[in-house]
Amino acid sequence: MVMAKIKLFANLRESAGESEMKMQGENIQEILDGLLTRYPQLQELIFNDVEGKRELRSYINILINGNNILHLEGLDTIVNDDDEIAIFPPVSGG
């Protein structure tokens, strides 16, 4: 399995109590599964439960090396060693 760096931002970082960690996984889905095993409190922030099926919340942005996974293969996007995955919740400011 490959090892990728995960960066959490805003309320995700606050909920996990960490801003960066390393995770193993072959694709984004496996990385997220590992992240939620370590930090189960992130489940409701990242995923909806729709009719018993887990779906990524529409406002969560996941970037792999600066590229949004929505423009790649979504949760099936392959992860390589030393990739950087950034997970952003909605952010507002003024």
Side-chain angles (χ1 to χ4, degrees):
M1 282 209 168
V2 300
M3 186 70 79
K5 183 195 302 188
I6 312 302
K7 294 178 110 177
L8 300 176
F9 294 87
N11 64 336
L12 297 174
R13 176 184 60 225
E14 291 169 15
S15 184
E18 293 187 67
S19 61
E20 288 186 20
M21 68 278 310
K22 293 272 191 174
M23 286 284 160
Q24 289 184 333
E26 297 295 322
N27 58 34
I28 295 294
Q29 183 64 62
E30 289 182 12
I31 294 286
L32 290 176
D33 290 344
L35 184 68
L36 296 178
T37 297
R38 188 182 294 178
Y39 307 102
Q41 67 272 27
L42 298 178
Q43 173 73 37
E44 291 182 7
L45 298 172
I46 297 175
F47 286 101
N48 283 323
D49 184 13
V50 179
E51 298 178 6
K53 184 178 177 189
R54 191 171 75 166
E55 292 182 358
L56 189 64
R57 291 189 179 272
S58 61
Y59 54 75
I60 292 291
N61 289 298
I62 301 176
L63 306 176
I64 182 167
N65 300 323
N67 297 303
N68 194 316
I69 65 166
L70 296 178
H71 304 294
L72 301 169
E73 300 296 321
L75 295 175
D76 294 325
T77 301
I78 300 296
V79 176
N80 296 302
D81 269 332
D82 299 322
D83 279 349
E84 185 173 283
I85 299 165
I87 306 174
F88 293 92
V91 179
S92 63

